[in-house]
């Protein structure tokens, strides 16, 4: 509430190219962005055990030219402007941020959605 943001309302809203989104991350705090690609394969992302590719990801770019995310923001929820939780941030490259769809996260963890 102190940021004037919509409270989380639900989940299971698929991201669409052009959607405006926001997140509050540990490193960069509150940032706003736009979904540039809604369903894509991202990779390789380098991890200690080797490179990984991610299907059904979406790509976000900042609205103001600064970084939407930085190292330490992984795990941040990605929200639509109306408060729907739509994704989980997992990587970025300084220009683009990559997120997986929240419904895929819920399915992988066998968690029921908030919807």
């Amino acid at each position: 509430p102190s940021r004037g943001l919509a409270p989380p309302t639900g989940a299971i809203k698929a991201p669409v190219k052009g959607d405006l989104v926001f997140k509050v991350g540990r490193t960069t705090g509150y940032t706003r962005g736009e979904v540039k690609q809604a369903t894509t394969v991202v990779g390789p992302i380098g991890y200690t055990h080797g490179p990984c590719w991610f299907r059904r990801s979406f790509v976000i770019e900042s609205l103001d030219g600064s970084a939407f995310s930085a190292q330490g923001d992984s795990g941040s929820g990605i929200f639509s402007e109306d408060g729907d939780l739509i994704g989980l941030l997992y990587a970025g490259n300084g220009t683009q941020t990559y997120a997986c769809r929240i419904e895929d996260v819920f399915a992988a963890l066998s968690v029921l959605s908030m919807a």
Side-chain angles (χ1 to χ4, degrees):
S2 65
R3 291 187 171 96
L5 304 175
T9 57
I12 311 303
K13 177 184 174 194
V16 176
K17 183 178 178 179
D19 278 353
L20 298 179
V21 298
F22 71 90
K23 67 107 186 87
V24 179
R26 184 204 71 165
T27 303
T28 57
Y30 170 69
T31 56
R32 295 182 64 230
E34 179 181 350
V35 175
K36 294 296 188 175
Q37 296 177 44
T39 303
T40 192
V41 175
V42 173
I45 303 290
Y47 289 103
T48 305
H49 65 277
C52 293
W53 284 258
F54 297 85
R55 292 177 282 168
R56 291 177 45 90
S57 293
F58 61 103
V59 178
I60 303 160
E61 292 181 10
S62 174
L63 291 179
D64 66 7
S66 63
F68 181 79
S69 67
Q71 189 172 4
D73 285 336
S74 293
S76 298
I78 306 294
F79 293 86
S80 65
E81 282 197 314
D82 55 3
D84 287 333
L85 176 62
I86 63 170
L88 188 70
L89 190 158
Y90 66 84
N93 65 15
T95 302
Q96 295 181 322
T97 294
Y98 309 116
C100 50
R101 295 168 177 237
I102 200 63
E103 66 264 28
D104 294 342
V105 174
F106 288 166
L109 298 174
S110 299
V111 174
L112 298 176
S113 76
M114 299 185 318

